[in-house]
Amino acid sequence: MVRLDYLNLTYKEIGEVGLDIKDIEIFAKKAYEMMLKKPYKELDFLNLHNQDLLKIKQLSSKAKDYDYFIILGIGGSALGPKVILEALSPFHNLRRKPKVFVYDNVDPVTFKNIIEIVDLKRTLINVISKSGTTVETLASFLILWKMIRDKKLNVRQHFVFTTDPEKGSLRVLANEYGIPTLEIPKNIVGRYSVLSPVGVFLAEIIGTESESLLEGAKDISEKALNDDLSENSMAIFASCTYLMDTMKGRRILVFLPYSDRLKSLSEWFCQLWAESLGKEGKGPTPYPSLGTTDQHSQLQLWMEGPEDKVILFVCIENHNSQEEIPQEFHNIEGLKYLGGHTLSELINIEQLATEMALTMSKKPNFKLVIPRLNAYYLGQLFQFLQISTAMTGFLYNVNPFNQPGVELGKRLTYGAMGRRGFEEEAEKIKKYLRRKI
Ligand code: PA5
């Protein structure tokens, strides 16, 4: 199982800046009790292991006949699939088909590049949007829709929509044009949707057994409802991060996996954490990072900068590689000592050394450890972090499933783009652009 080690957050290890075990336990119990009441219907993400995979498997087996697979989506509708791709099929496009592109921004140059690479005749486009209303996703969809039609290709053969079972423009189009669809269950919110068809469809396409992903998540979900707190690390995680902020003024949470394959997990986690917790003036700031790379970029700041951070390591015990560093240049000590060690050993030793350096300097840090990185443990990591985030939200007394703060920017965009009903916002934009010093 994914293991949480939080010793380096405690008074015992780091003195005054650390937490009292009793406080950790009190708030962990509180987080657990709040979870038990299941206060939000959005907690349905705990049950995604029960979903029916038949349609996903049918569509994914067809998708394997294509040479290119493009995902259009943003936020929770793109970051999860990106993690699955990078973690479970690294360098995918250099090795396997269909080549996968996650177009999750409206950057026109990225779009142009993708279009230049793919042959639309051999491309399947998965438009992912829970609401079916997201401007970035719909804009790129419209362009591709027209391109497919201009080429006299059958839209049913080139699009799959992953969207709400009933609502939104994509659902309307799917019904009208008979586009194959996958359903994101009603109560599942974007950033908690990676284990729904949003991520599972891609997992199947790249050859991952999604059952393993879901099995990992299931094993973690069961732990979240365990009243034995020594078994319920998610409640401990929530308690520690909450107390580090509210009691110790540690307002920044650095997410630091030691694996290139988990680089996207940093992005995914930061979105989950920021959008779930940042409300009502509360919420620690997540900070995406990567080991060992950021030891040569950020570590200086963590060691000697402001006392406002907690570092969360994510470690893989066995990297499944025995690449050995050769014993060369016996007469140069600066090279000789490396000989005979493996790269796996080195990356884990560097993590340990960084952890110890932080601890010896009384910098709060904790770690999540998985034995290996495969679909099963990735499923565990996703679910662990989703549940921990929701529980942390309960402690802050905020709703971890909404995002009211993003609405204003969306409305202003609609106004500027001339959408009916947003004339007032359009006026505000004009006024704003006329401002002078
Ligand atoms: O977590 C969320 O709800 C958001 O980040 C959404 O995923 C994002 O805004 C995209 O929304 P949608 O899937 O409706 O297009």
Side-chain angles (χ1 to χ4, degrees), residues 74-77 128-134 137 184 189-192 271 275 403 410:
I74 194 164
S77 291
I128 309 180
S129 177
K130 174 70 197 298
S131 62
T133 60
T134 301
T137 309
I184 308 173
V189 175
R191 55 194 176 277
Y192 295 84
Q271 188 237 351
E275 233 177 17
Q403 56 282 330
K410 283 188 191 170

Side-chain angles (χ1 to χ4, degrees), residues 72-79 128-138 162-164 170 184 188-193 198 271-272 275-276 400-403 406-407 410:
L72 306 179
I74 194 164
S77 291
L79 292 168
I128 309 180
S129 177
K130 174 70 197 298
S131 62
T133 60
T134 301
V135 59
E136 295 85 350
T137 309
L138 292 185
T162 305
T163 191
D164 187 271
L170 290 178
I184 308 173
I188 304 293
V189 175
R191 55 194 176 277
Y192 295 84
S193 70
V198 168
Q271 188 237 351
L272 174 70
E275 233 177 17
S276 300
F401 302 108
N402 65 6
Q403 56 282 330
V406 303
E407 293 309 318
K410 283 188 191 170

